[in-house]
Amino acid sequence: MMPVEYDAIVIGGGHNGLVNAAYLARAGKKTLVLERRHILGGASVTEEIFPGFKFSVFSYVVSLFRPEIIRDLNLTQHGLMILPLESTLAPLPDGDYLYRGADHYESYRNIARFSPRDADAYEDYSRSMYFMAKAVKYVLGIIPPDPASLHLNDLSGLARMARQFLNLDGDQFYTLVRLMTMSSADFLERWFESEPLMGTLSASGIIGTFLGPRSPGSAYVLLHHYMGEIDGVFRAWGFAKGGTGAIAGAIASSARALGVDIRTNAAVSKIIVQNGQSVGVALENGDEIYARVVVSSLDPQQTFLKLIDPALLPDELVASVRKYIYRGSSGKVNLALDAPPELACLPGPGPHLRGAISISPSVDYIERAYDDAKYGDFSRRPYIDVIVPSMIDPDMAPPGKHVMSCFVQYAPYHLRDGNWDDQREAFGEAVVDTLAEYIPNLKDIILHRQVLTPLDIERTTGLTEGNIFQGELSLSQLFFLRPAPGLAKYRTPIRKTYLCGSSTHPGGGITGAPGRLAALEILKDWQP
Amino acid sequence: MPIPTPFHARTSALCVSHEWRDWSGYLAASLYEPAHDREYYAIRSSASLIDVSPLYKYEVRGPDALGFVDRLMTRDLTRCVTGQVMYSPWCDDDGKVIDDGTVARLAPDRFRITAAEANLVWFQDCAYGMDVEVMDVSAKLAVLALQGPNARKILQRVVQGIDLERLKYYRLAEGKAGEIPLAISRTGYTGDLGYELWVAPELALPLWDHLIEQGEAYGIMPAGMLALDIARIEAGLIMIQIDYISSRKALIQAQKSSPFEIGLDWAVDLTKKHFIGREALRAEHRQGSFWQFTGVEVDWNSLEALFGKVNLTPRLTGKASRLAVPIYSGGRQIGQMTSHTFSPLLKKYIGLATVERKYAAEGARVSVEVTVEYTRQRSEARLVKTPFFNPARKRA
């Protein structure tokens, strides 16, 4: 056997893999990160797709990135800067718009144009979501205890968690149960009555999931838009200067400073298992590297069905990994623009261009977009979350030019007719046509268009079915069920083998939390 | 960005200090002149004109209007006759104060409620099942407070159709100022003789001009929020989110207050058959509240001694402070002084405070925190009744 070169090998140089490696190195472990692509970041990459124009190709905004990771890994020193996204503008088909920004009363007046009641209720809603986020925040930061287990650690974990929830007063607890069970549309109707507000708010309940605003369970996803607010952050959503690749870049820089070795163009073909424990990995080029511990930041499909011989795994585990739901539902269109976009509802420059522009005029609009997807078509009139990064960070495009990032839903991975290679451009057309209704000058200023279908996301990043969260963020796949019972504590049935990606608790988005929590668990297990 | 009130064309021309603040999303002058002293003294010695248009205003109308406001408010609104105004807090089901304001009976089946915060959802939800309509009329009415000893004399030159000599404290009447229809209520936030003028926004500027023109000889001048803040503390009038936190905004239970805890015992009528929060308030009344509202008078000699130790005289900003400071009794913190100011008239340092009831006896000796040259010190003080200043002319 070859000599053991590393304490730990982390498969995948996405942001969670890098965070994991950095924390292991911080504890003195000699760690290697292996990335298949030529660049680091996974879905958190910035690439110059068109000369002079830089795109956050996949993931494009950040809200939940754990502040303790920024502090622990000294990421600001390594170049991380998250700029605020100031507002959300929902342009409407009739030329009107709903604008919500940092100015409380301005948002109030904007909402009041559609419903004076909703303007008042908006604060009650935000307050409720604050309480919900506060309750759930604790859960996001712990190793999920398994309620079916009688292990002492699980029981005490459950008891501690129960105490957290007992801190909620009655109304807050009932709201939490509703949040966990209701559809986002029904949940929002408890406060609101006006279509534009409910439409744009309900959009937060479907992002990255294969759910419509009227699907039960979508309300929980709403909460993700509020989680960042309780860490003392003024605006929850932000844009990383230099694009989301700069986040991965800062973590990688910090990791290297801590002694982590990072190799790109180093695709892993196999986790080498001997006597029920991982001893290293084999690369596609045939190299073998040995380590005491192997950590996979890839999703369960990749880790257990491709890198490990399923025959080595318990049948039940293989079955639950095979049943784990990915169901990619979103696509991305990245545009290089010759000039600033002009909105029909608010022509000219303004703060609204520095925030999100959400094509979500009503709940029905989004639900209809979902209807298309339910039966295997991409949405003809999709929900689109647009940001213009070059308005926030001028270094993203040449002076006077712009880049536009369009997150699109729904784009089902499994198409009923045809395949994505044939449908890609039609999908891109549908997105641009939809946007052009609200941004009349759009078609005239497009210099370059990059259309990413779920298939493209899968091919490039390795995310199965192009699911941006490494598996649906539905309640049935969260906490002690993420990604499957028995895998929720980052450990796997193969000894010295761990998971640390978004498929583990607390889930997807650029949070770094799975990477960090996994590292803490690995270090707990460490025996000299 | 805060938006202008209907008086902005005039107030902005006069606001040479260029100091504005955001009041419920509207631009409100903090002070007009470079210093606020003259504006304060106008309130107490002549007449001040204060733009209070940003107040939230709700109109309630319908056969059940009286039943509705009586169910909402802790005071007995059935006693409110047409042309009368009553001040009252309103509570949630737990008897915790949501907001406080005035209720004016405009007609037998028509009321207008003023509020410091938005309340439309609460009001409309509480009206469910009643034959009553609740509308937000905040933007449909411009409001000016004319406050000070000369307020009546000025109005007498301006207003027709209202006998101002007979318009009693907390009464309201409709009349005209020349061609301008308006309503006048004898209300205000200064604890002085004063009126509030309610007018359609499009007639706001002519009304302003008329008042300034006729008031000039009586020393009328616009006053900003700094002057008003001193006056309202002297008058012992509480401010939401400063002296108490709305139960709708509180993040924890401990931040909420009952009316008994913010000095509004007198505005709670437990003999009423029903109102929102009644059961909880009855229980609290039986058991006794934990907190009590009180005035605080800081002992000037003690204050002088503390500053004297570092060879300074008391250095006070001359502005009211909304930064709460701890109050101690025998070394233990028993509460906090939430609004405090030097009173230019009384030559005293005074404050509004919340302290544990068991320590709240009138005249009790306490100490309050003061900062002297970056160090936290404790000055002797006394718990006193409010208002600190209560001129007979207020009600006369």
CSV table of all heavy atoms in Angstrom, one decimal, chain B residues 54-105:
chain,number,residue,atom,x,y,z
B,54,PRO,N,-47.9,64.1,9.8
B,54,PRO,CA,-47.6,62.6,9.7
B,54,PRO,C,-48.3,61.7,10.6
B,54,PRO,O,-48.2,60.5,10.5
B,54,PRO,CB,-46.1,62.6,10.0
B,54,PRO,CG,-45.6,64.0,9.7
B,54,PRO,CD,-46.7,64.9,10.0
B,55,LEU,N,-49.1,62.2,11.5
B,55,LEU,CA,-49.9,61.4,12.4
B,55,LEU,C,-50.8,60.4,11.5
B,55,LEU,O,-51.2,60.8,10.5
B,55,LEU,CB,-50.9,62.2,13.2
B,55,LEU,CG,-50.5,62.9,14.4
B,55,LEU,CD1,-51.6,63.8,14.9
B,55,LEU,CD2,-50.2,61.9,15.5
B,56,TYR,N,-50.9,59.2,12.0
B,56,TYR,CA,-51.8,58.3,11.3
B,56,TYR,C,-53.3,58.6,11.8
B,56,TYR,O,-53.5,58.9,12.9
B,56,TYR,CB,-51.5,56.8,11.7
B,56,TYR,CG,-50.3,56.3,11.1
B,56,TYR,CD1,-49.0,56.4,11.7
B,56,TYR,CD2,-50.3,55.7,9.8
B,56,TYR,CE1,-47.9,56.0,11.2
B,56,TYR,CE2,-49.1,55.2,9.3
B,56,TYR,CZ,-47.9,55.3,9.9
B,56,TYR,OH,-46.7,54.9,9.4
B,57,LYS,N,-54.2,58.6,10.8
B,57,LYS,CA,-55.5,59.0,11.1
B,57,LYS,C,-56.5,58.0,10.4
B,57,LYS,O,-56.3,57.6,9.3
B,57,LYS,CB,-55.8,60.4,10.5
B,57,LYS,CG,-54.8,61.5,11.0
B,57,LYS,CD,-54.9,62.8,10.2
B,57,LYS,CE,-54.0,62.9,9.0
B,57,LYS,NZ,-52.6,63.0,9.2
B,58,TYR,N,-57.4,57.6,11.2
B,58,TYR,CA,-58.4,56.6,10.8
B,58,TYR,C,-59.8,57.1,11.0
B,58,TYR,O,-60.1,57.7,12.0
B,58,TYR,CB,-58.2,55.3,11.5
B,58,TYR,CG,-56.8,54.7,11.2
B,58,TYR,CD1,-55.8,55.0,12.1
B,58,TYR,CD2,-56.5,54.0,10.1
B,58,TYR,CE1,-54.5,54.5,11.9
B,58,TYR,CE2,-55.3,53.5,9.8
B,58,TYR,CZ,-54.2,53.8,10.7
B,58,TYR,OH,-53.0,53.3,10.4
B,59,GLU,N,-60.6,56.9,10.0
B,59,GLU,CA,-62.0,57.3,10.2
B,59,GLU,C,-62.9,56.1,10.3
B,59,GLU,O,-62.7,55.1,9.6
B,59,GLU,CB,-62.5,58.2,9.0
B,59,GLU,CG,-63.8,58.9,9.3
B,59,GLU,CD,-64.1,60.0,8.4
B,59,GLU,OE1,-63.2,60.9,8.1
B,59,GLU,OE2,-65.3,60.0,7.9
B,60,VAL,N,-63.8,56.1,11.2
B,60,VAL,CA,-64.6,55.0,11.5
B,60,VAL,C,-66.1,55.5,11.3
B,60,VAL,O,-66.5,56.5,11.9
B,60,VAL,CB,-64.5,54.6,13.0
B,60,VAL,CG1,-65.4,53.4,13.3
B,60,VAL,CG2,-63.0,54.2,13.3
B,61,ARG,N,-66.8,54.8,10.4
B,61,ARG,CA,-68.2,55.2,10.3
B,61,ARG,C,-69.1,54.1,10.1
B,61,ARG,O,-68.7,53.0,9.6
B,61,ARG,CB,-68.3,56.3,9.1
B,61,ARG,CG,-67.9,55.8,7.8
B,61,ARG,CD,-68.3,56.7,6.7
B,61,ARG,NE,-67.3,57.9,6.6
B,61,ARG,CZ,-67.5,58.9,5.7
B,61,ARG,NH1,-68.6,58.9,5.0
B,61,ARG,NH2,-66.6,59.8,5.7
B,62,GLY,N,-70.4,54.3,10.4
B,62,GLY,CA,-71.4,53.2,10.3
B,62,GLY,C,-72.2,53.1,11.6
B,62,GLY,O,-71.8,53.6,12.6
B,63,PRO,N,-73.3,52.3,11.5
B,63,PRO,CA,-74.2,52.2,12.6
B,63,PRO,C,-73.5,51.7,13.9
B,63,PRO,O,-73.8,52.0,15.0
B,63,PRO,CB,-75.2,51.2,12.1
B,63,PRO,CG,-75.2,51.3,10.6
B,63,PRO,CD,-73.8,51.7,10.3
B,64,ASP,N,-72.5,50.8,13.7
B,64,ASP,CA,-71.8,50.2,14.9
B,64,ASP,C,-70.5,51.0,15.2
B,64,ASP,O,-69.7,50.5,16.0
B,64,ASP,CB,-71.4,48.8,14.6
B,64,ASP,CG,-72.6,47.9,14.5
B,64,ASP,OD1,-73.6,48.3,15.1
B,64,ASP,OD2,-72.5,46.8,14.0
B,65,ALA,N,-70.4,52.3,14.7
B,65,ALA,CA,-69.1,53.0,15.0
B,65,ALA,C,-68.9,53.2,16.5
B,65,ALA,O,-67.7,52.9,16.9
B,65,ALA,CB,-69.2,54.4,14.3
B,66,LEU,N,-69.8,53.5,17.2
B,66,LEU,CA,-69.7,53.7,18.6
B,66,LEU,C,-69.3,52.4,19.3
B,66,LEU,O,-68.4,52.4,20.1
B,66,LEU,CB,-70.9,54.4,19.3
B,66,LEU,CG,-70.9,54.5,20.8
B,66,LEU,CD1,-69.7,55.4,21.2
B,66,LEU,CD2,-72.2,55.0,21.4
B,67,GLY,N,-70.1,51.4,19.0
B,67,GLY,CA,-69.8,50.1,19.6
B,67,GLY,C,-68.4,49.6,19.3
B,67,GLY,O,-67.7,49.1,20.1
B,68,PHE,N,-67.9,49.9,18.1
B,68,PHE,CA,-66.6,49.5,17.7
B,68,PHE,C,-65.5,50.3,18.5
B,68,PHE,O,-64.6,49.7,19.1
B,68,PHE,CB,-66.4,49.8,16.2
B,68,PHE,CG,-64.9,49.7,15.7
B,68,PHE,CD1,-64.3,48.5,15.8
B,68,PHE,CD2,-64.3,50.8,15.4
B,68,PHE,CE1,-62.9,48.4,15.4
B,68,PHE,CE2,-62.9,50.8,15.0
B,68,PHE,CZ,-62.3,49.6,15.0
B,69,VAL,N,-65.6,51.6,18.5
B,69,VAL,CA,-64.5,52.3,19.2
B,69,VAL,C,-64.5,52.0,20.7
B,69,VAL,O,-63.5,52.0,21.4
B,69,VAL,CB,-64.5,53.9,19.0
B,69,VAL,CG1,-64.2,54.2,17.6
B,69,VAL,CG2,-65.9,54.5,19.4
B,70,ASP,N,-65.7,51.8,21.2
B,70,ASP,CA,-65.8,51.4,22.6
B,70,ASP,C,-65.2,50.1,22.9
B,70,ASP,O,-64.7,49.8,24.0
B,70,ASP,CB,-67.3,51.5,23.1
B,70,ASP,CG,-67.4,51.5,24.6
B,70,ASP,OD1,-66.7,52.3,25.3
B,70,ASP,OD2,-68.1,50.7,25.2
B,71,ARG,N,-65.4,49.2,22.0
B,71,ARG,CA,-64.8,47.8,22.1
B,71,ARG,C,-63.3,47.9,22.0
B,71,ARG,O,-62.5,47.2,22.7
B,71,ARG,CB,-65.4,46.9,21.0
B,71,ARG,CG,-64.7,45.6,20.8
B,71,ARG,CD,-65.4,44.8,19.7
B,71,ARG,NE,-64.5,44.0,18.9
B,71,ARG,CZ,-63.9,42.9,19.3
B,71,ARG,NH1,-64.2,42.4,20.5
B,71,ARG,NH2,-63.1,42.2,18.5
B,72,LEU,N,-62.8,48.8,21.2
B,72,LEU,CA,-61.4,49.0,20.9
B,72,LEU,C,-60.6,49.6,22.1
B,72,LEU,O,-59.6,49.2,22.5
B,72,LEU,CB,-61.2,49.8,19.7
B,72,LEU,CG,-59.9,49.8,18.9
B,72,LEU,CD1,-59.6,48.4,18.4
B,72,LEU,CD2,-60.0,50.8,17.8
B,73,MET,N,-61.2,50.7,22.6
B,73,MET,CA,-60.5,51.6,23.5
B,73,MET,C,-60.7,51.2,25.0
B,73,MET,O,-61.8,50.7,25.3
B,73,MET,CB,-61.0,53.0,23.4
B,73,MET,CG,-60.8,53.6,21.9
B,73,MET,SD,-59.0,53.8,21.6
B,73,MET,CE,-59.0,54.0,19.8
B,74,THR,N,-59.7,51.5,25.8
B,74,THR,CA,-59.9,51.1,27.2
B,74,THR,C,-60.8,52.1,28.0
B,74,THR,O,-61.3,51.9,29.0
B,74,THR,CB,-58.5,51.1,27.9
B,74,THR,OG1,-57.9,52.4,27.8
B,74,THR,CG2,-57.6,50.0,27.3
B,75,ARG,N,-61.0,53.3,27.4
B,75,ARG,CA,-61.9,54.3,28.0
B,75,ARG,C,-63.3,54.1,27.6
B,75,ARG,O,-63.6,53.4,26.6
B,75,ARG,CB,-61.4,55.7,27.6
B,75,ARG,CG,-60.4,56.3,28.6
B,75,ARG,CD,-60.0,57.7,28.2
B,75,ARG,NE,-60.9,58.6,28.9
B,75,ARG,CZ,-60.8,59.9,28.8
B,75,ARG,NH1,-59.9,60.4,27.9
B,75,ARG,NH2,-61.5,60.8,29.5
B,76,ASP,N,-64.2,54.7,28.4
B,76,ASP,CA,-65.6,54.5,28.1
B,76,ASP,C,-66.0,55.5,27.0
B,76,ASP,O,-66.2,56.7,27.3
B,76,ASP,CB,-66.4,54.8,29.4
B,76,ASP,CG,-67.9,54.5,29.1
B,76,ASP,OD1,-68.3,54.2,28.0
B,76,ASP,OD2,-68.6,54.6,30.1
B,77,LEU,N,-66.1,55.1,25.8
B,77,LEU,CA,-66.4,56.0,24.6
B,77,LEU,C,-67.9,56.3,24.5
B,77,LEU,O,-68.3,57.2,23.8
B,77,LEU,CB,-65.8,55.4,23.3
B,77,LEU,CG,-64.5,55.9,22.9
B,77,LEU,CD1,-64.5,57.3,22.5
B,77,LEU,CD2,-63.4,55.6,23.9
B,78,THR,N,-68.7,55.5,25.3
B,78,THR,CA,-70.1,55.8,25.2
B,78,THR,C,-70.4,57.2,25.8
B,78,THR,O,-71.4,57.8,25.6
B,78,THR,CB,-70.9,54.7,26.0
B,78,THR,OG1,-70.5,54.7,27.3
B,78,THR,CG2,-70.7,53.4,25.4
B,79,ARG,N,-69.4,57.7,26.6
B,79,ARG,CA,-69.6,59.0,27.2
B,79,ARG,C,-69.2,60.1,26.3
B,79,ARG,O,-69.3,61.3,26.6
B,79,ARG,CB,-68.8,59.1,28.5
B,79,ARG,CG,-69.3,58.2,29.6
B,79,ARG,CD,-68.4,58.4,30.8
B,79,ARG,NE,-68.7,57.4,31.8
B,79,ARG,CZ,-68.3,57.4,33.0
B,79,ARG,NH1,-67.5,58.4,33.4
B,79,ARG,NH2,-68.6,56.5,33.9
B,80,CYS,N,-68.6,59.7,25.2
B,80,CYS,CA,-68.0,60.7,24.3
B,80,CYS,C,-69.2,61.3,23.4
B,80,CYS,O,-69.8,60.6,22.6
B,80,CYS,CB,-67.0,60.1,23.4
B,80,CYS,SG,-66.1,61.2,22.3
B,81,VAL,N,-69.5,62.5,23.6
B,81,VAL,CA,-70.6,63.1,22.8
B,81,VAL,C,-70.0,63.7,21.5
B,81,VAL,O,-68.8,63.8,21.4
B,81,VAL,CB,-71.3,64.3,23.6
B,81,VAL,CG1,-71.9,63.8,24.9
B,81,VAL,CG2,-70.3,65.4,23.9
B,82,THR,N,-70.9,63.9,20.6
B,82,THR,CA,-70.4,64.5,19.3
B,82,THR,C,-69.8,65.8,19.6
B,82,THR,O,-70.2,66.6,20.4
B,82,THR,CB,-71.6,64.7,18.4
B,82,THR,OG1,-72.2,63.4,18.1
B,82,THR,CG2,-71.2,65.3,17.0
B,83,GLY,N,-68.6,66.0,19.0
B,83,GLY,CA,-67.8,67.2,19.2
B,83,GLY,C,-66.9,67.1,20.4
B,83,GLY,O,-66.2,68.1,20.8
B,84,GLN,N,-66.7,65.9,20.9
B,84,GLN,CA,-65.8,65.6,22.0
B,84,GLN,C,-64.6,64.8,21.5
B,84,GLN,O,-64.8,64.0,20.6
B,84,GLN,CB,-66.5,64.9,23.2
B,84,GLN,CG,-65.7,64.8,24.4
B,84,GLN,CD,-66.4,64.2,25.6
B,84,GLN,OE1,-67.6,64.0,25.5
B,84,GLN,NE2,-65.7,63.8,26.6
B,85,VAL,N,-63.5,64.9,22.2
B,85,VAL,CA,-62.3,64.1,21.8
B,85,VAL,C,-61.9,63.4,23.1
B,85,VAL,O,-62.0,64.0,24.2
B,85,VAL,CB,-61.2,65.0,21.3
B,85,VAL,CG1,-60.0,64.2,20.9
B,85,VAL,CG2,-61.6,65.9,20.2
B,86,MET,N,-61.5,62.2,23.0
B,86,MET,CA,-61.0,61.5,24.2
B,86,MET,C,-59.7,60.9,23.9
B,86,MET,O,-59.5,60.3,22.8
B,86,MET,CB,-62.0,60.4,24.7
B,86,MET,CG,-63.2,60.9,25.4
B,86,MET,SD,-64.4,59.6,25.7
B,86,MET,CE,-64.4,59.7,27.5
B,87,TYR,N,-58.8,61.0,24.8
B,87,TYR,CA,-57.5,60.3,24.7
B,87,TYR,C,-57.6,58.9,25.3
B,87,TYR,O,-58.1,58.8,26.4
B,87,TYR,CB,-56.4,61.1,25.4
B,87,TYR,CG,-55.1,60.4,25.5
B,87,TYR,CD1,-54.2,60.4,24.5
B,87,TYR,CD2,-54.8,59.7,26.7
B,87,TYR,CE1,-53.0,59.7,24.6
B,87,TYR,CE2,-53.5,59.1,26.8
B,87,TYR,CZ,-52.7,59.0,25.7
B,87,TYR,OH,-51.5,58.4,25.9
B,88,SER,N,-57.1,57.9,24.6
B,88,SER,CA,-57.1,56.6,25.2
B,88,SER,C,-56.0,55.7,24.5
B,88,SER,O,-55.7,55.9,23.4
B,88,SER,CB,-58.5,56.0,24.9
B,88,SER,OG,-58.5,54.6,25.4
B,89,PRO,N,-55.5,54.8,25.3
B,89,PRO,CA,-54.7,53.7,24.7
B,89,PRO,C,-55.6,52.6,24.2
B,89,PRO,O,-56.8,52.6,24.5
B,89,PRO,CB,-53.9,53.2,25.9
B,89,PRO,CG,-54.7,53.4,27.1
B,89,PRO,CD,-55.6,54.6,26.8
B,90,TRP,N,-55.1,51.7,23.3
B,90,TRP,CA,-55.8,50.5,23.0
B,90,TRP,C,-54.9,49.3,23.1
B,90,TRP,O,-53.7,49.5,23.0
B,90,TRP,CB,-56.5,50.6,21.6
B,90,TRP,CG,-55.6,51.0,20.5
B,90,TRP,CD1,-55.0,50.2,19.6
B,90,TRP,CD2,-55.4,52.3,20.0
B,90,TRP,NE1,-54.4,50.9,18.6
B,90,TRP,CE2,-54.6,52.2,18.8
B,90,TRP,CE3,-55.8,53.6,20.4
B,90,TRP,CZ2,-54.2,53.3,18.1
B,90,TRP,CZ3,-55.3,54.7,19.7
B,90,TRP,CH2,-54.5,54.6,18.6
B,91,CYS,N,-55.5,48.2,23.5
B,91,CYS,CA,-54.7,47.1,23.9
B,91,CYS,C,-54.9,45.8,23.1
B,91,CYS,O,-56.0,45.8,22.4
B,91,CYS,CB,-55.0,46.7,25.4
B,91,CYS,SG,-54.5,48.0,26.6
B,92,ASP,N,-54.1,44.8,23.2
B,92,ASP,CA,-54.3,43.5,22.6
B,92,ASP,C,-55.1,42.7,23.7
B,92,ASP,O,-55.4,43.2,24.8
B,92,ASP,CB,-53.1,42.8,22.2
B,92,ASP,CG,-52.1,42.6,23.3
B,92,ASP,OD1,-52.5,42.6,24.5
B,92,ASP,OD2,-50.9,42.4,23.0
B,93,ASP,N,-55.4,41.5,23.3
B,93,ASP,CA,-56.2,40.6,24.2
B,93,ASP,C,-55.5,40.4,25.6
B,93,ASP,O,-56.2,40.1,26.6
B,93,ASP,CB,-56.5,39.3,23.6
B,93,ASP,CG,-57.6,39.4,22.5
B,93,ASP,OD1,-58.5,40.2,22.7
B,93,ASP,OD2,-57.4,38.7,21.4
B,94,ASP,N,-54.2,40.5,25.6
B,94,ASP,CA,-53.5,40.3,26.8
B,94,ASP,C,-53.4,41.6,27.7
B,94,ASP,O,-52.7,41.6,28.7
B,94,ASP,CB,-52.1,39.8,26.6
B,94,ASP,CG,-52.1,38.5,25.8
B,94,ASP,OD1,-53.0,37.7,26.0
B,94,ASP,OD2,-51.2,38.3,24.9
B,95,GLY,N,-54.1,42.6,27.2
B,95,GLY,CA,-54.1,43.9,28.0
B,95,GLY,C,-52.8,44.7,27.8
B,95,GLY,O,-52.5,45.5,28.6
B,96,LYS,N,-52.0,44.4,26.8
B,96,LYS,CA,-50.8,45.1,26.5
B,96,LYS,C,-51.0,46.2,25.5
B,96,LYS,O,-51.7,46.0,24.5
B,96,LYS,CB,-49.7,44.2,26.0
B,96,LYS,CG,-49.4,43.0,27.0
B,96,LYS,CD,-48.9,43.5,28.4
B,96,LYS,CE,-48.6,42.3,29.3
B,96,LYS,NZ,-48.3,42.7,30.6
B,97,VAL,N,-50.5,47.3,25.7
B,97,VAL,CA,-50.8,48.5,24.9
B,97,VAL,C,-50.2,48.4,23.5
B,97,VAL,O,-49.0,48.1,23.3
B,97,VAL,CB,-50.2,49.8,25.6
B,97,VAL,CG1,-50.6,51.0,24.7
B,97,VAL,CG2,-50.8,50.0,27.0
B,98,ILE,N,-51.1,48.6,22.5
B,98,ILE,CA,-50.7,48.6,21.1
B,98,ILE,C,-50.2,50.0,20.7
B,98,ILE,O,-49.2,50.2,20.1
B,98,ILE,CB,-51.8,48.1,20.2
B,98,ILE,CG1,-52.1,46.6,20.5
B,98,ILE,CG2,-51.4,48.3,18.7
B,98,ILE,CD1,-53.3,46.1,19.8
B,99,ASP,N,-51.0,51.0,21.1
B,99,ASP,CA,-50.8,52.4,20.7
B,99,ASP,C,-51.6,53.3,21.6
B,99,ASP,O,-52.5,52.8,22.3
B,99,ASP,CB,-51.1,52.5,19.2
B,99,ASP,CG,-50.4,53.7,18.5
B,99,ASP,OD1,-50.0,54.6,19.2
B,99,ASP,OD2,-50.4,53.7,17.3
B,100,ASP,N,-51.5,54.6,21.4
B,100,ASP,CA,-52.3,55.5,22.1
B,100,ASP,C,-52.6,56.7,21.2
B,100,ASP,O,-51.8,57.0,20.4
B,100,ASP,CB,-51.7,55.9,23.5
B,100,ASP,CG,-50.4,56.7,23.3
B,100,ASP,OD1,-49.4,56.1,22.8
B,100,ASP,OD2,-50.4,57.9,23.5
B,101,GLY,N,-53.8,57.3,21.4
B,101,GLY,CA,-54.1,58.4,20.6
B,101,GLY,C,-55.4,59.0,21.0
B,101,GLY,O,-55.9,58.7,22.0
B,102,THR,N,-55.9,59.9,20.1
B,102,THR,CA,-57.2,60.5,20.4
B,102,THR,C,-58.3,60.0,19.6
B,102,THR,O,-58.1,59.5,18.4
B,102,THR,CB,-57.1,62.1,20.1
B,102,THR,OG1,-56.8,62.3,18.8
B,102,THR,CG2,-56.0,62.7,21.0
B,103,VAL,N,-59.5,60.0,20.1
B,103,VAL,CA,-60.7,59.5,19.4
B,103,VAL,C,-61.6,60.7,19.4
B,103,VAL,O,-62.0,61.2,20.5
B,103,VAL,CB,-61.4,58.4,20.1
B,103,VAL,CG1,-62.5,57.8,19.2
B,103,VAL,CG2,-60.4,57.3,20.5
B,104,ALA,N,-61.9,61.2,18.2
B,104,ALA,CA,-62.8,62.4,18.1
B,104,ALA,C,-64.2,61.9,17.6
B,104,ALA,O,-64.2,61.1,16.6
B,104,ALA,CB,-62.2,63.4,17.2
B,105,ARG,N,-65.2,62.3,18.2
B,105,ARG,CA,-66.6,61.9,17.7
B,105,ARG,C,-67.0,63.1,16.8
B,105,ARG,O,-67.4,64.1,17.2
B,105,ARG,CB,-67.6,61.7,18.8
B,105,ARG,CG,-68.9,61.1,18.3
B,105,ARG,CD,-69.7,60.5,19.5
B,105,ARG,NE,-70.8,59.7,19.0
B,105,ARG,CZ,-71.6,59.0,19.7
B,105,ARG,NH1,-71.5,59.1,21.1
B,105,ARG,NH2,-72.5,58.3,19.2
